[in-house]
Amino acid sequence: MTRALPRSRMFAPLVYLAAVVLLVEEWCWDAGMRLARALARWPALAALEVRVRLLPPYGALCAFVLPGLLLLPVKVLALIAIAHGHALSGIATIVVAKVGGAAIVARLYVLTLPTLLAVGWFARCHGWFMAAKTRCLDYLRSSHAYHLTGRALRALRVGFKRLLRRLRPRPAGTDGRHASRTARVLRRFVVQWRARRR
């Protein structure tokens, strides 16, 4: 007779998965907000933001919901591409859609929230959702899985930055030569190409 696993052990993988999803979602939301703020400096987008702020409540609701609905077919197509052997392009599409969608939705949330809170049912649903989200986030953030996952993702980010630093060409040394092997090869190629043209 097999012994039943304790509930905490059974749900541990789900907690780790939820922690990863939460951390990735937070990163996407923050990156999206930064991207949207940077893009909002363009005059055409700034004028569009003014128009979005002036929308009536149900127009603001459509403007808030529509980008998320329009990105759904893109994500489905990316999953189909992955299923047909185009894993890199499918994953890249999902990542771009996620970050781009987060940028648009985050900015629209900021722009339309004051108008949307004027709609009674939306204000009630928003209040209930935010309270439930806060409770779930507090539970996850206090878990051991969240801290371990956060530490692992931070280590991954640091390792990725180190890798990027190594791949970046180094500045010229005191003798005027570049330390990067790629830069040296490119310089040699340019010198040979110029010599042939003479």
Side-chain angles (χ1 to χ4, degrees):
M1 197 170 175
T2 55
R3 239 173 72 192
L5 283 171
R7 270 184 86 170
S8 60
R9 266 195 178 162
M10 211 165 56
F11 289 114
L14 293 177
V15 174
Y16 278 98
L17 181 64
V20 169
V21 169
L22 174 65
L23 287 165
V24 170
E25 193 69 33
E26 280 182 352
W27 178 84
C28 284
W29 187 266
D30 292 342
M33 286 290 277
R34 285 194 300 270
L35 179 65
R37 272 197 301 268
L39 290 174
R41 293 186 191 121
W42 290 358
L45 283 175
L48 184 64
E49 283 192 358
V50 170
R51 284 190 164 189
V52 169
R53 278 195 175 103
L54 297 175
L55 284 172
Y58 283 97
L61 184 64
C62 288
F64 177 62
V65 171
L66 202 59
L69 291 178
L70 291 176
L71 281 173
L72 193 61
V74 174
K75 292 176 182 176
V76 170
L77 287 173
L79 288 174
I80 292 170
I82 291 170
H84 284 88
H86 304 285
L88 285 177
S89 59
I91 290 169
T93 304
I94 288 174
V95 168
V96 169
K98 188 70 180 162
V99 174
I104 294 166
V105 170
R107 193 64 186 164
L108 284 172
Y109 178 77
V110 169
L111 295 173
T112 59
L113 187 61
T115 309
L116 290 173
L117 289 176
V119 180
W121 65 265
F122 183 88
R124 285 191 299 276
C125 290
H126 183 268
W128 173 84
F129 175 77
M130 293 307 281
K133 180 186 169 191
T134 303
R135 280 196 305 275
C136 289
L137 290 179
D138 289 345
Y139 172 75
L140 266 176
R141 286 183 177 136
S142 65
S143 71
H144 184 62
Y146 181 84
H147 293 289
L148 282 178
T149 309
R151 213 175 303 143
L153 287 176
R154 278 192 295 276
L156 192 66
R157 198 180 317 144
V158 168
F160 186 68
K161 283 181 181 176
R162 279 188 194 145
L163 179 68
L164 284 178
R165 255 188 265 127
R166 284 185 188 165
L167 293 175
R168 224 178 272 149
R170 295 187 184 112
T174 51
D175 58 351
R177 291 183 187 167
H178 285 279
S180 170
R181 182 173 167 16
T182 310
R184 284 198 309 263
V185 170
L186 286 174
R187 248 179 55 196
R188 197 176 309 139
F189 174 75
V190 169
V191 167
Q192 288 174 356
W193 183 70
R194 285 179 181 164
R196 283 183 190 164
R197 287 191 61 180
R198 285 180 190 160

